Amino acid sequence: TQLLKQSPQFLSIQEGENLTVYCNSSSVFSSLQWYRQEPGEGPVLLVTVVTGGEVKKLKRLTFQFGDARKDSSLHITAAQPGDTGLYLCAGAPAGTALIFGKGTTLSVSS
Amino acid sequence: KAGVTQTPRYLIKTRGQQVTLSCSPISGHRSVSWYQQTPGQGLQFLFEYFSETQRNKGNFPGRFSGRQFSNSRSEMNVSTLELGDSALYLCASSALENTGELFFGEGSRLTVL
């Protein structure tokens, strides 16, 4: 059973398009994190969302934490080839280690 | 400051052999976690160490083991390798236990033939 479900699994778009990826769970998390992983490298933390309903912006990336703290979304405006990578959401169920969703592989072509 | 360092970066083993992977965390970080990444399963948690004590363990067979030294460096060992153990093994360090904010190394790519 996958605790964090990400969708879509794959996304291929043209430069300049907008996109949203989702991270859903039936469990409540005290916080959720988003990482990006590029080929040949380890994941790198983008943001942590803590408060239900919270919205955080990182340049063209907007992250939202659901009101019930069971889900999160990542919206990218005007995607660029440099946004290409694997986007992972992660959360730590109480008392346990950080677990990851399977990720969304994003490909942005120019 | 230096990031998380994993060695070796690439290795090839045959079924039945064993392998030891090493991880040096960011200076000052006392928590080290290990993950297995495969195309089909994504990142799966192996174990977490804090101050030389295993704090959490994932759902992997006993062939997978690890330890942490007093300088926070960590090793993981896989014995009696199987073809399905082929994966990218990622180590991550954190300043505190269970903060969830991890800094990853580039990983050790293991191929089992």
Side-chain angles (χ1 to χ4, degrees):
Chain A
T1 303
Q2 198 177 353
L3 197 57
L4 287 168
K5 293 185 178 180
Q6 291 191 243
S7 62
Q9 188 176 357
F10 299 98
L11 195 53
S12 182
I13 61 172
Q14 294 288 320
E15 182 177 3
E17 291 185 32
N18 301 331
L19 67 116
T20 302
V21 299
Y22 300 93
C23 175
N24 294 290
S25 178
S26 57
S27 300
V28 175
F29 286 85
S30 58
S31 67
L32 282 178
Q33 300 177 352
W34 286 91
Y35 290 78
R36 184 174 81 185
Q37 183 178 20
E38 298 185 25
E41 300 182 6
V44 175
L45 179 68
L46 295 173
V47 77
T48 302
V49 285
V50 179
T51 306
E54 179 178 11
V55 177
K56 281 192 174 180
K57 292 192 175 182
L58 188 66
K59 298 183 180 178
R60 294 176 293 100
L61 277 61
T62 302
F63 303 85
Q64 186 162 8
F65 200 11
D67 292 338
R69 293 186 288 125
K70 292 183 178 181
D71 55 83
S72 182
S73 64
L74 159 59
H75 181 81
I76 301 179
T77 303
Q80 299 177 0
D83 295 327
T84 293
L86 176 65
Y87 288 83
L88 298 155
C89 69
T96 70
L98 196 68
I99 60 165
F100 286 79
K102 288 191 176 183
T104 294
T105 299
L106 171 65
S107 176
V108 183
S109 53
S110 56
Chain B
K1 58 185 175 182
V4 177
T5 304
Q6 291 188 245
T7 57
R9 287 292 313 279
Y10 303 92
L11 65 166
I12 299 173
K13 294 285 187 178
T14 56
R15 281 180 296 173
Q17 288 187 310
Q18 73 164 11
V19 66
T20 298
L21 307 178
S22 180
C23 172
S24 293
I26 291 173
S27 178
H29 284 192
R30 296 166 62 189
S31 174
V32 173
S33 300
W34 288 90
Y35 290 84
Q36 181 196 65
Q37 187 174 32
T38 58
Q41 298 300 319
L43 271 94
Q44 293 188 283
F45 172 71
L46 283 158
F47 18 68
E48 177 188 11
Y49 290 88
F50 183 84
S51 294
E52 301 179 67
T53 301
Q54 187 179 91
R55 296 298 192 181
N56 288 293
K57 188 176 190 302
N59 189 26
F60 278 81
R63 300 186 295 108
F64 291 81
S65 62
R67 58 178 176 170
Q68 186 180 31
F69 302 96
S70 58
N71 62 358
S72 294
R73 190 177 69 86
S74 178
E75 288 182 348
M76 68 162 284
N77 183 276
V78 188
S79 63
T80 319
L81 284 166
E82 301 177 359
L83 295 179
D85 296 333
S86 294
L88 180 66
Y89 290 87
L90 289 162
C91 168
S93 73
S94 178
L96 299 173
E97 180 184 12
N98 286 337
T99 65
E101 299 198 33
L102 302 179
F103 297 83
F104 284 86
E106 293 180 312
S108 293
R109 170 79 60 187
L110 170 65
T111 301
V112 182
L113 302 176

